């Protein structure tokens, strides 16, 4: 394990004013989003779409790293060079989703544990050869009266730590992603409690299994009210509670925190991130984005599978990346949305 290289990569992934583009949707997830817009779910369309996301002018000014899916890391751009070479040319670090998805946790209805540890060592060494310098593993927690259970918390924290240790052995920076789902009618307080206990156990397990915390990136969900909550916490409260939670769980050695967007609207995701970075608190880690939907959905709609829309869609993608780059510096304001990229 080359700790210096891991540290350097982790720091570069959360470099000031930049964030991470999560474009690692599995085939079923990508199909769901394409089908909603009537886009054919073919390998060619996924290639065209992801090519569009990475060819907007100046995208590299806001995106430090991109998470790819297995198909994409082996695929060529429309120009004929590989996706990883294109990313290298732009100075964007390529990474890879390595988990095999959240599967039902036996004995705990409604809860999941993320699978994918079997054979992971070999897959990581292949991905390193293909150019990946970081990886992603997502654990999923659901808030209800009875969940997350201690069993789900433990199973997921353990798997995340096993994954992270294997990544570092392969000189790949692990993105550690415990996602407490926004779905449900829970209060922000319930979200705080679930998020804090999940994160505490994750760091406990990471330590226990010898993971070097200066060579990881944490990808958490924000502390928010549930999507169907009767009363919704405002932007300032989300920012305050999220930072309060992180300060209580995330050791200062961790170089960066890059949030997922988790079903927030594009504007909410930018506003929340910006508010966290303008609380006026000295934070021990860089706080930025690793958004999937909140970076992509507007661009996907603008593209709509039609080659004639590529240029317009690229502009939309760069605009969202720029908004979130500004948010990572605490400089996003809603009126900036009117500006074209
Ligand atoms: P969202 O930002 O759409 O939640 O996706 C981020 C991600 O990588 C989920 O694993």
């Amino acid at each position: 394990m080359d700790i210096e290289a891991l540290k350097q990569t982790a720091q570069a992934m959360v470099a000031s004013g930049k964030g991470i583009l999560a474009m690692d949707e599995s085939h079923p997830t990508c199909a769901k989003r394409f089908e909603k817009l009537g886009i054919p779910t073919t390998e060619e369309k996924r290639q065209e779409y992801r090519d569009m996301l990475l060819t907007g002018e100046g995208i590299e000014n806001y995106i430090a790293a991109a998470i790819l899916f297995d198909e994409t890391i082996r695929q060529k751009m429309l120009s004929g060079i590989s996706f990883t070479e294109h990313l290298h040319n732009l100075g964007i670090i390529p990474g890879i989703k390595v988990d095999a998805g959240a599967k039902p946790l036996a004995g705990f209805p409604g809860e999941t544990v993320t699978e994918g540890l079997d054979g992971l060592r070999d897959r990581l060494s292949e991905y390193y050869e293909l150019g990946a310098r970081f990886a992603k593993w997502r654990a999923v927690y659901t808030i209800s009266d009875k969940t997350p259970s201690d069993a789900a918390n433990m199973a997921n924290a353990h798997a995340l730590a096993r994954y992270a240790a294997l990544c570092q052995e392969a000189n790949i920076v692990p993105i550690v992603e415990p996602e407490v789902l926004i779905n449900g009618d829970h209060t922000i307080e319930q979200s705080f409690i679930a998020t804090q206990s999940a994160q505490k156990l994750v760091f406990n397990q990471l330590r226990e299994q010898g993971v070097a915390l200066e060579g990881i990136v944490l990808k958490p969900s924000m502390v928010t009210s549930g999507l169907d909550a009767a009363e919704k916490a405002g932007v300032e409260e989300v920012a305050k509670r999220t930072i309060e939670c992180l300060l209580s769980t995330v050791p200062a050695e961790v170089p960066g925190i890059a949030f997922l967007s988790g079903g927030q609207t594009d504007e909410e995701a930018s506003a929340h991130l910006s508010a966290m970075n303008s609380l006026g608190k000295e934070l021990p880690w860089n706080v930025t984005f690793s958004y999937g939907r909140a970076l992509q959905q507007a661009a996907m709609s603008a593209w709509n599978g039609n080659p004639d829309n590529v240029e317009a869609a690229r502009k939309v993608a760069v605009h969202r990346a720029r908004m979130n780059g500004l948010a990572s510096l605490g400089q996003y304001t809603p009126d900036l949305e009117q500006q074209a990229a």
Side-chain angles (χ1 to χ4, degrees):
M1 168 170 115
D2 180 348
I3 184 65
E4 278 314 311
L6 289 169
K7 245 160 92 172
Q8 244 178 34
T9 301
Q11 282 165 3
M13 287 164 65
V14 295
S16 177
K18 297 186 184 184
I20 303 169
L21 168 59
M23 48 182 290
D24 59 323
E25 294 77 18
S26 62
H27 291 337
T29 303
C30 190
K32 228 184 332 181
R33 295 184 187 157
F34 275 15
E35 276 160 14
K36 251 195 212 154
L37 296 169
I39 302 165
T41 57
T42 60
E43 180 174 348
E44 290 71 27
K45 280 292 171 197
R46 289 192 292 271
Q47 176 199 28
E48 278 175 45
Y49 171 65
R50 288 168 167 154
D51 184 289
M52 177 279 292
L53 282 179
L54 294 172
T55 46
E57 178 149 8
I59 191 81
E60 69 278 14
N61 296 329
Y62 315 108
I63 300 298
I67 317 173
L68 307 178
F69 186 59
D70 182 77
E71 175 181 88
T72 322
I73 202 170
R74 304 171 191 281
Q75 218 170 27
K76 288 195 170 24
M77 303 276 295
L78 297 175
S79 67
I81 65 169
S82 68
F83 272 80
T84 49
E85 193 181 344
H86 175 74
L87 291 171
H88 274 298
N89 293 344
L90 290 177
I92 298 177
I93 306 166
I96 181 78
K97 168 194 173 77
V98 298
D99 68 65
K103 303 289 158 62
L105 179 63
F108 293 85
E111 296 196 278
T112 62
V113 61
T114 300
E115 296 188 352
L117 288 171
D118 288 355
L120 183 56
R121 177 177 275 123
D122 292 342
R123 288 197 291 132
L124 286 168
S125 82
E126 189 196 2
Y127 286 138
Y128 189 95
E129 291 304 315
L130 288 169
R133 291 297 175 268
F134 71 94
K136 177 190 113 170
W137 179 290
R138 171 175 174 259
V140 184
Y141 306 82
T142 309
I143 300 181
S144 72
D145 291 347
K146 294 202 181 69
T147 65
S149 65
D150 291 348
N153 264 337
M154 182 47 100
N156 279 296
H158 185 265
L160 273 168
R162 291 293 311 125
Y163 141 82
L166 283 161
C167 284
Q168 291 192 334
E169 180 191 83
N171 293 321
I172 286 183
V173 170
I175 290 186
V176 173
E177 181 178 3
E179 174 173 6
V180 178
L181 293 177
I182 198 170
N183 308 72
D185 60 1
H186 50 269
T187 62
I188 189 167
E189 189 55 29
Q190 285 174 284
S191 168
F192 183 93
I193 292 166
T195 307
Q196 189 183 46
S197 64
Q199 289 174 0
K200 275 200 170 144
L201 209 46
V202 166
F203 281 101
N204 176 315
Q205 283 294 301
L206 289 170
R207 282 225 159 90
E208 192 101 345
Q209 296 185 43
V211 174
L213 297 182
E214 58 273 41
I216 73 162
V217 170
L218 179 70
K219 175 163 174 166
S221 42
M222 295 182 196
V223 174
T224 64
S225 316
L227 270 186
D228 305 322
E231 259 183 61
K232 294 275 178 71
V235 172
E236 287 305 310
E237 194 181 357
V238 168
K240 276 202 195 113
R241 298 306 312 269
T242 303
I243 293 295
E244 180 191 345
C245 178
L246 294 168
L247 284 170
S248 75
T249 58
V250 187
E253 302 100 283
V254 174
I257 292 173
F259 287 101
L260 59 95
S261 61
Q264 297 181 27
T265 66
D266 295 355
E267 288 80 8
E268 280 167 351
S270 300
H272 287 149
L273 178 61
S274 199
M276 283 185 233
N277 281 301
S278 40
L279 285 175
K281 273 191 201 285
E282 255 319 293
L283 300 175
W285 355 261
N286 280 0
V287 174
T288 187
F289 59 92
S290 173
Y291 295 159
R293 281 161 287 177
L295 281 171
Q296 291 187 47
Q297 57 206 358
M300 190 187 286
S301 303
W303 173 62
N304 211 17
N306 182 345
D308 294 344
N309 297 336
V310 166
E311 202 37 53
R314 283 179 178 142
K315 288 207 165 78
V316 175
V318 174
H319 174 71
R320 280 270 46 90
R322 178 168 162 261
M323 292 300 99
N324 289 307
L326 288 169
S328 74
L329 299 168
Q331 294 169 4
Y332 168 84
T333 52
D335 56 295
L336 292 171
E337 295 292 353
Q338 311 317 319
Q339 296 178 5

